[in-house]
Amino acid sequence: MQPCRKSLWLALSASWLLLILLGICPLFRLAVPPKPPPGHPQGWPHWLDAAFLSSFSQPGEPPEDAPQLPQAPRGSSCSWGTCFDTSKCRGNGLKVFVLPLASPTSEAPQRILASLETSGYHTPNTSEACLLLFLPSLDQRGVCQPLPPHWSAGKNHLVLSLHPALCTHRGQVMVAEASPSADIFRPGFDVALPLLPEDHPLQGGAPGQLQQHSPHSGAVWLAVAEERGGWRIAGIQDSACPWDEHCDLHPRPQQALLCFLRTQLGEMLPNATFCLIPGHRPATSHFLQALQAGCIPVLLSPRWELPFSEVIDWTKAAIIADERLPQQVLAALREMLPGRILTLRQQTQFLWNAYFSSVEKVIHTTLEIIQDRIWGASAHSSLLWNSPPGALLALPTFSMSPQDFPFYFLQQGSHPESRFSALIWVGALGQPPLKLIQAVAGSRHCAQILILWSSEKPLPDRWPKTTVPLTVIEGHRKASDRFFPYSTISTSAILSLDAHSTLSTSEVDFAFVVWQSFPERIVGFLTWNHSWDEARGGWSYSAKMANEFSMVLTTAAFYHRYYHTLFTHSLPKALRTLVDETPTCVDVLMNFLVAAVTKLPPIKVPCGRKHPEPAPLAPGGPGLGSETQPLGQDCINRMVAEFGHMPLVSSRVRLDPVLFKDPVSVQRKKYRSLEKP
Amino acid sequence: MCASVKYNIRGPALIPRMKTKHRIYYITLFSIVLLGLIATGMFQFWPHSIESSGDWSVEKRSVRDVPVVRLPAESPIPERGDLSCRMHTCFDVYRCGFNPKNKIKVYIYSLKKYVDDAGVPVSNTISREYNELLTAISDSDYYTDDINRACLFVPSIDVLNQNTVRIKETAQALAQLSRWDRGTNHLLFNMLPGGPPDYNTALDVPRDRALLAGGGFSTWTYRQGYDVSIPVYSPLSAEVALPEKAPGARRYFLLSSQMSVHPEFREELEALQAKHGESVLVLDKCTNLSEGMLSVRRRCYQHQVFDYPQLLQEATFCVVLRGTRLGQAVLSDVLQAGCVPVVIADSYILPFSEVLDWKRASVVVPEEKMSDVYSILRSIPQRQIEEMQRQARWFWEAYFQSIKAIALATLQIINDRIYPYAAISYEEWNDPPAVKWASVSNPLFLPLIPPQSQGFTAIVLTYDRVESLFRVITEVSKVPSLSKLLVVWNNQNKNPPEESLWPKIRVPLKVVRTAENKLSNRFFPYDEIETEAVLAIDDDIIMLTSDELQFGYEVWREFPDRLVGYPGRLHLWDHEMNKWKYESEWTNEVSMVLTGAAFYHKYFNYLYTYKMPGDIKNWVDAHMNCEDIAMNFLVANVTGKAVIKVTPRKKFKCPECTAIDGLSLDQTHMVERSECINKFASVFGTMPLKVVEHRADPVLYKDDFPEKLKSFPNIGSL
């Protein structure tokens, strides 16, 4: 009995122990208010009666029944809707009248004025103008030239001051000024300009300095804008801080090292991956330098409005970060993926070349932004502004659909269509090019044939029967007619031909298939090359056979229909006049235009038999000399002057059919007639 | 003995020998123990219910039971709201600290019921939408329950509709929040601001520095880059399902469906209707409906009754006019119906305008121009209208359709401001999924011809064919533009030859030893590669002349975003087998180049190593084959462009070339290669390879021209 009781006691106490151990925890938990286990966020409660909660807005609430009419905008602030009268701008787009300069002291405004006058925006007539432009300048005393008194109250006025805030006029006047302070800037009304250096070129301008897509292996990682105007470079050390103040505050050995390592670069542009730019306004001049150098601007809480921020998506070309989180910014830069760095770098160059490299581009961009506001729904889309070649070269008057342009097939996930229109130019004494018509019509890609009859002879009554529609357009016997955007052209690809050209169907087919891979370029058979002529101190070009070429003759070439629109509507009038006077220049001009847009050389494809001679287009008369030196050597130099730079790019490549002249059976080859001697 | 204990537990009948006193004592004791055990067991087996019943008091409660907070009449009121606030002045970014995930942390205050001194409630406790909104935040990645780690604070005080709150008292309630600190980093959501008579366009509740996500901001009240303009949620979004309708012309060209339109606007609209007849329809509320019918869901024109919002799907353009407030819920209905909104509300800040490109989905017309609306809309080409209809519907789906969508978009916008380097791009915000899927963004999009002086780095992958390797090194070193030669030694069992045995060449030669014999080693982005151009070359490609290699480099410079290679290959669709087939015959087309000899940009090495989709990389290493096909897929997919095959066909020493020699075709090799193509196409989800019919030759190739004057005379010799 005794041992049994003992064991019973043992069992009892063990049970009690168990009970206490097991029981106390829950009891304890009950006693202490519940706390969520760490790591499991407690979250917003799920209310039992959530379904019975009432909605925030009750239908038929009074406010909707008490409509009110506009309250006048408070304060003097202006917006596009209230302070711009678009009714004056209907019809012929943005016409700008420039207020004559009263007493210009410097040459710059005069030059700007001159450049504006040659542009398509200018009108000499105030009544026709939709925008009145005023270029403020300083007089001898450095005092702002006052605005004409009746201006400040008038609508549709723009004060364009390329230099920062010398003259501030507000009120109903739109202000386009360099790096405006974010506090006074009126989004959607004012225009933010870049801060241009004094010696910024008026036209053309230096291209971006980036020579390769990815950063140089020897490139500095980070450059920091100096207040005095130069740059200093910072190393790549971890936790090293490039800010002066911080370095001084925490003189840890590593950072001290960094601070001593830095080199004064003076005014030199940095060859760095990132360029750190403080947020205060004096630093804005660094911004453009970095952009040109292809150094990714890292802007620390900028207190100024970024240039053309209304249309340019700066997040694609710059990093805008908070200056209060330096370590985080640096860490983010260090961890940035190579793909992002690549994209940002390239975008800086595109933006620089498209909108900033010359004063003219800056002014045209400003006017284009205002024009876009007037156009509303039919303005440039963000894609057109933010991808090459840029909005100045992509005219929304051509089409509202990006896939109609030669530039955006990839972004749109579309392809060039598989048909082309042949445009045959019949010059002064030309005969109907019957053989050529047959050869072209034989191509399975040909959609239509257009004859541009510029001959003095009467039109023939009968044209050969073709499988595709044939249309005759009567030209005005001007060379620039050739590149007029005729509404009868129904395809995006144009095969431009001269009545003298000799082409086989096979050649046409192959060239067209190649063009489909390069829809933004000219694809042609005969080529010229340009070169710098030391002796004459100018550019010259030659039709001699050479290892390189930079131009393709438009007497037989494929290109996109859009270039007709650009040729007619965006080239300066002076250039088109030049071409009409010297018709031999027309090929050069078209090549200049396409090269300026694409920044790439044209494409050469092989021609089967020998062409009679690579003759320039000369609709003016029998001037088709057999000499290899093309006529009108001077036009190339005049064009360089008008463009502001030499846009042509040379190529050493010819694209041949895959089996071209390969030692296989001719039967295997698709374009065998190309190989006939 | 011990067994008796067991029996004892079973019941008193089994312990008859004990004294009754003892028996009662034991029975009581055991019962207590038993009860205790049972109770413990219940605690243990119900632990979750107990814990959650602990939570229950927080989670599954009634809104009516929340704690009451009495606000003394003299408790502080925040400042009115600072119009000059910007992120860098009023927002305390330090609270967001450094977050490796680049995601802000949001804290939600717990729900309280605020009453004034007299015990009168300050507002309705919480609306259904605000509850949904807080639930959405709480369920998102942004949420934190740790107030100390939070970067953004969301009060649970519901101010979605200003009319349901008492302004002064609500402001006092805000001011007494534990982390209020002048409203810094606090986010308020409001959809219906203002009240009679002047209807301010922003919430009238004094809120000091707090950010406001408001529906119906005007340019005068909106703090650019600080506030967030949000839509006015339409409860119809949840009530009525409108299936997506294909874009195209619809019955009505222009429709006005709003019920309370200012008489002046209505006059203008009716004038339009009179002028343009059937294509314009101006509706009003129904006056003659019987009581039972829902007037919210009906609209009338004269005696015709229409169902709203279904009717919106019958119109191409729908007018969204300003009422007393700028923001109108009808905007959401209109977008849902795929009708293009014509916004006529001067100075209105459209929802999420900081990130959304409204030009693509709407037409904004100044009030002054209302009479021209019809002609303005008619001038828009049909194709663009269809694009806008699609875009409108997509905006609704992505950012309007639920309170959750609105809440998350708002937080994303604030997040992007704080971590701008990790921000979502314009395309991600604006492009509909179909466009995102189809579009290609070439990583090397800038038209640029790299300078010749840069040169290229040749990378030779080798295992143990030393003799052949040395010949390749000697041949390649003759190419003028070669700037460095990298030998990737893929043999772990054997050391590379001694330094003295290697050929002496004019450029640096580096040997990299690999840890494993993997094919992908050839495409590793080695630090030693200092040039952009890379020439991948096999250790047995000795037949390429110096001219051919130099010309290949020149071609790459003109096409730096493409694979530029020598032997070309083609993929074909096998109609019989219904799958892709690999082709190495003499064809008129190419879609791939072999990387046994190819130039390409070094960035593609990075992509191959770190961004190759799916398991392709491991698959290639496991099969020891098809690394070149994988590279062709990768480059074509990312650039959307075809390869460039350089120079005429040559005899290459490669398995499949035996076919050209007239010997037996290595059938298994071809089958394997075909399998690779099919495998990769399924991983990529598409066939990215592009077929072209051209190859690149020097300008004067085979032209009648003196050979010695040609830049690249020695090309194409077998």
Side-chain angles (χ1 to χ4, degrees), chain A residues 29-30, chain B residues 41-57:
Chain A
R29 258 180 264 167
L30 276 182
Chain B
M42 275 173 63
F43 277 133
Q44 289 306 308
F45 288 112
W46 275 16
H48 302 293
S49 63
I50 285 173
E51 257 174 58
S52 57
S53 80
D55 275 321
W56 220 354
S57 56

Side-chain angles (χ1 to χ4, degrees), chain A residues 20-309:
Chain A
I20 290 166
L21 277 177
L22 290 174
I24 201 149
C25 294
L27 285 173
F28 185 73
R29 258 180 264 167
L30 276 182
V32 177
K35 245 188 185 172
H40 291 275
Q42 188 179 334
W44 181 252
H46 295 280
W47 304 104
L48 283 173
D49 44 3
F52 303 106
L53 293 175
S54 57
S55 174
F56 77 108
S57 74
Q58 292 307 318
E61 233 184 302
E64 294 301 317
D65 293 329
Q68 279 201 328
L69 250 205
Q71 326 131 345
R74 267 174 274 155
S76 60
S77 208
C78 254
S79 75
W80 181 255
T82 54
C83 293
F84 197 90
D85 179 12
T86 48
S87 59
K88 287 181 173 176
C89 314
R90 285 288 146 74
N92 43 3
L94 184 74
K95 287 288 169 198
V96 183
F97 175 80
V98 187
L99 197 79
L101 299 166
S103 54
T105 48
S106 61
E107 194 195 347
Q110 287 289 7
R111 283 167 60 214
I112 295 171
L113 193 64
S115 119
L116 261 176
E117 275 168 6
T118 57
S119 76
Y121 306 105
H122 185 259
T123 175
N125 195 345
T126 357
S127 60
E128 204 184 64
C130 138
L131 185 75
L132 299 154
L133 184 80
F134 177 64
L135 294 163
S137 60
L138 298 178
D139 63 11
Q140 287 92 340
R141 294 160 294 160
V143 176
C144 222
Q145 189 189 342
L147 266 179
H150 61 275
W151 261 53
S152 45
K155 287 186 172 181
N156 297 20
H157 294 88
L158 173 70
V159 172
L160 194 144
S161 96
L162 287 171
H163 300 292
L166 288 172
C167 317
T168 26
H169 312 277
R170 296 278 156 186
Q172 298 211 15
V173 182
M174 282 190 285
V175 180
E177 64 173 324
S179 318
S181 150
D183 299 327
I184 55 160
F185 182 74
R186 296 167 291 184
F189 190 64
D190 290 339
V191 181
L193 303 183
L195 179 60
L196 302 177
E198 286 292 336
D199 55 352
H200 206 60
L202 182 71
Q203 274 181 322
Q209 292 159 333
L210 210 62
Q211 295 204 316
Q212 55 180 62
H213 292 96
S214 46
H216 241 279
S217 52
V220 179
W221 180 64
L222 182 73
V224 185
E226 290 268 82
E227 243 172 270
R228 291 178 297 274
W231 295 87
R232 66 190 157 84
I233 53 173
I236 196 160
Q237 290 98 326
D238 280 36
S239 84
C241 151
W243 281 265
D244 252 339
E245 316 88 90
H246 292 244
C247 291
D248 298 338
L249 279 175
H250 315 284
R252 279 187 290 170
Q254 203 179 20
Q255 291 179 344
L257 183 73
L258 172 83
C259 294
F260 286 116
L261 257 179
R262 67 183 192 227
T263 325
Q264 191 70 44
L265 294 178
E267 288 297 319
M268 256 174 62
L269 290 162
N271 171 20
T273 306
F274 294 104
C275 279
L276 208 64
I277 299 165
H280 49 79
R281 283 177 79 198
T284 56
S285 60
H286 285 92
F287 179 63
L288 225 49
Q289 287 178 21
L291 204 65
Q292 182 181 14
C295 175
I296 302 163
V298 181
L299 299 158
L300 298 171
S301 305
R303 254 79 89 194
W304 41 282
E305 194 67 24
L306 294 185
F308 307 131
S309 53

Side-chain angles (χ1 to χ4, degrees), chain A residues 297-328:
Chain A
V298 181
L299 299 158
L300 298 171
S301 305
R303 254 79 89 194
W304 41 282
E305 194 67 24
L306 294 185
F308 307 131
S309 53
E310 188 175 338
V311 290
I312 293 179
D313 182 357
W314 280 107
T315 60
K316 287 187 160 59
I319 307 283
I320 299 147
D322 199 304
E323 63 183 350
R324 293 169 296 172
L325 296 177
Q327 293 301 329
Q328 282 83 332

Side-chain angles (χ1 to χ4, degrees), chain A residues 390-411:
Chain A
L392 297 185
L393 294 168
L395 310 178
T397 44
F398 172 70
S399 166
M400 282 310 300
S401 304
Q403 55 263 46
D404 287 346
F405 288 87
F407 317 115
Y408 313 110
F409 288 111
L410 281 175
Q411 286 105 316

